[in-house]
Amino acid sequence: MSVEVLDGSTIREFVEDDQAFNGWIDDRFANLDIDKDGILSYGEMMKELKSLRVLETHFGVDVVQLNSDDLALIYSALFLQFDHDRNGCVDIEEFRAETKQMMLAMANGLGFLPVQMVLEEDSLLKKAVERELAKVTA
């Protein structure tokens, strides 16, 4: 993990860079697709869904404690956000479209004022920051 400074434009410009964004999506999808069948099952998506840290409230600590049924409902709802055609699995285009939509929503929420965030090394946000830094130093 590292502390980085970013704003909405950092994310938006990365998502709009088809080569950079699609490359990250392709790599991430391939990493999640354990059985290499070209689709993500609910089980395969759990790693990604948990990485969203929807319950995290303070620096990597999930303070909110839910029972397993409530937690399953939350992750099922998140999975359905990705499963656009409701066939019980997520293909790469669904994964790409939903990830893009989520990242653009995050960019809009951040706006133009820079914020400091703790980012995981393999996260999309970290890749967006690295892309922006590469542009500045080039």
Side-chain angles (χ1 to χ4, degrees), residues 45-113:
M45 277 287 294
M46 281 304 291
K47 178 181 177 185
E48 191 69 7
L49 296 175
K50 287 180 179 179
S51 78
L52 296 175
R53 296 189 169 166
V54 295
L55 301 177
E56 182 177 298
T57 58
H58 186 70
F59 297 108
V61 177
D62 294 336
V63 176
V64 177
Q65 298 296 318
L66 297 176
N67 66 45
S68 59
D69 290 341
D70 290 339
L71 203 52
L73 278 173
I74 290 170
Y75 287 126
S76 293
L78 285 170
F79 182 79
L80 287 175
Q81 285 296 116
F82 284 87
D83 185 14
H84 296 169
D85 61 10
R86 302 294 190 253
N87 67 349
C89 58
V90 176
D91 64 37
I92 193 160
E93 292 309 317
E94 290 171 317
F95 187 74
R96 184 182 329 276
E98 191 60 31
T99 302
K100 187 174 205 172
Q101 185 175 347
M102 288 173 35
M103 292 298 105
L104 289 174
M106 186 179 295
N108 289 336
L110 285 177
F112 63 90
L113 295 175

Side-chain angles (χ1 to χ4, degrees), residues 8 12 21 25 29 35 40 72-73 82 90 103-104 110 119 122 124 126:
R12 191 173 300 102
F21 179 72
I25 288 291
F29 190 90
D35 60 9
L40 300 178
L73 278 173
F82 284 87
V90 176
M103 292 298 105
L104 289 174
L110 285 177
L119 303 177
D122 64 343
L124 183 125
K126 177 68 173 177

Side-chain angles (χ1 to χ4, degrees), residues 22-41:
N22 289 336
W24 185 88
I25 288 291
D26 292 345
D27 290 346
R28 189 68 168 184
F29 190 90
N31 184 41
L32 294 171
D33 187 13
I34 304 297
D35 60 9
K36 305 300 180 209
D37 63 356
I39 56 173
L40 300 178
S41 66

